[in-house]
Amino acid sequence: MKLFRHGAAGAERPGVVDAKGGLRDLSAHLAGFDAAALSAEGLARIAAIDPAALPMVPDGARIGAPVPRPVNFICIGLNYADHAAESNLPIPEEPIIFLKAGSAYSGPFDDVVIPRGSKETDWEVELGVVIGTAAHCVTEADALDHVAGYCVVNDVSEREYQIKRGGTWDKGKGCPSFGPVGPYLVTSDEVPDPQSLDLWCEVDGRRMQDGNTRTMIFGVRTLVSYVSQFIALLPGDIIATGTPPGVGMGIKPNPVFLRPGQTMRLGIAGLGEQAQKTIGG
C-alpha cells in the first residue's frame, strides 16, 4: 500500500492510493496513522478496505508528511562510501547517528526555508525507514519485522552550521523545514528488497544525485538493529539512511549551495517524488 496524509499542516487526515493512482480519504475508518495503525495488524486492517469505496481527496489538497511528527527522527551520516569520499572523510567503522529536530519535519511539497545568513544550504536525498512496532535491542534477524515501510526523505543541511560552527552535526540539520518526508509511506510488502532502490535529486532540472541503495555501507537491517541498541524506536519513528554522492558540498573545485528561488525535485523508485521551492528566511 501507499499511505499518505492530506490537509493543512497540523490537521492532516489519513489516505491511501488506489489501484489507478487516485488519492482516497481514509478518515472515516481511522483518525490517523498512530501506533495501532502502523502495526502489522493495523496495516492488515487498512489493506482490507476497498479504496474504490472511499471518497477522493479534493484536487489541490496539500499532501503532508505521511506519518505524524516522529518522536525520534534519526539520521545516518556518511553511509555511502562515495559520499564519504566526496566529503573527504573516512568510511565509518560503525554507523554515525545524529538526530534531526522535530521542528524540521515538513511535507514533501512544502517550501524549504533557507536560514537567515545561511551560506551553505545543501540537498540530500535519502531512503527513510518508518518503524511500525517498537524496537529496542533487536537483532538483525528480527529488525525488518519492526519496519512498517519506507519513504523519501530530503535531509536538507546547512554545511557551515554543521561543520564550521563547532559542536555536533545537529546544528546544521535541524532548521525549520529541513526535513521534508513523503509523499507516501510505502508498506514493506511492496518493497521486498530495500537494498536495490534507485534514488536521485535534481536542482532546477539538473540531475545532481543518482545512486542506488545497494551501495550503502550499512544496510537497512543493520541500521534498525544498530540504532535500537542506543535508542528505543517507537512506531512512526523515521531513520534516514544516508545519501549517495552528488551533494552541493562535494562539487569540485567550487561547491554549489542553494539560494532562494530554486526548486529541488527528488525521488526513490517505487516510493514517489518530492518537490520543494527554496525561499529566504
Side-chain angles (χ1 to χ4, degrees), residues 1 3 49 62 75 80 88 113 171 213 218 233 237 256 281:
M1 290 182 295
L3 304 176
I49 299 168
R62 172 183 175 271
C75 297
Y80 289 72
N88 297 315
V113 181
K171 217 180 263 188
T213 56
F218 306 104
L233 297 169
D237 283 354
V256 175

Side-chain angles (χ1 to χ4, degrees), residues 2-231:
K2 289 184 173 69
L3 304 176
F4 67 96
R5 296 192 309 149
H6 61 98
E12 294 93 344
R13 298 192 294 177
V16 62
V17 179
D18 67 25
K20 296 182 179 179
L23 304 182
R24 302 283 184 157
D25 180 41
L26 268 172
S27 57
H29 293 267
L30 69 161
F33 297 130
D34 58 9
L38 293 175
S39 69
E41 297 79 11
L43 292 175
R45 286 192 292 271
I46 296 171
I49 299 168
D50 179 11
L54 300 173
M56 298 292 294
V57 171
D59 290 343
R62 172 183 175 271
I63 304 300
V67 292
R69 183 180 295 173
V71 173
N72 299 301
F73 192 175
I74 299 156
C75 297
I76 307 299
L78 302 177
N79 196 32
Y80 289 72
D82 33 12
H83 173 54
E86 74 175 352
S87 303
N88 297 315
L89 293 168
I91 293 173
E93 295 182 6
E94 295 188 42
I96 295 171
I97 298 174
F98 60 92
L99 299 177
K100 208 165 182 76
S103 55
Y105 195 59
S106 60
F109 306 107
D110 294 345
D111 292 340
V112 166
V113 181
I114 296 178
R116 218 172 299 171
S118 167
K119 300 174 183 176
E120 299 182 358
T121 299
D122 205 346
W123 56 86
E124 290 192 11
V125 61
E126 306 201 5
L127 172 66
V129 179
V130 181
I131 301 300
T133 57
H136 187 215
C137 295
V138 301
T139 65
E140 288 195 23
D142 294 335
L144 296 188
D145 294 339
H146 296 267
V147 174
Y150 302 91
C151 59
V152 183
V153 175
N154 188 356
D155 177 21
V156 184
S157 308
E158 213 298 346
R159 303 301 188 187
E160 184 189 25
Y161 299 176
Q162 176 188 356
I163 299 168
K164 303 173 185 176
R165 297 289 296 272
T168 64
W169 285 9
D170 307 63
K171 217 180 263 188
K173 299 285 190 171
C175 300
S177 78
F178 270 26
V181 174
Y184 310 121
L185 161 59
V186 180
T187 52
S188 297
D189 58 300
E190 293 198 11
V191 188
D193 184 6
Q195 304 306 149
S196 63
L197 302 174
D198 291 328
L199 63 171
W200 53 271
C201 177
E202 295 178 353
V203 179
D204 290 342
R206 178 185 173 192
R207 185 64 62 101
M208 307 302 290
Q209 291 184 276
D210 230 335
N212 188 286
T213 56
R214 74 171 64 92
T215 65
M216 284 182 184
I217 299 167
F218 306 104
V220 170
R221 187 185 297 275
T222 298
L223 291 174
V224 172
S225 173
Y226 184 88
V227 171
S228 80
Q229 310 306 310
F230 306 96
I231 298 170

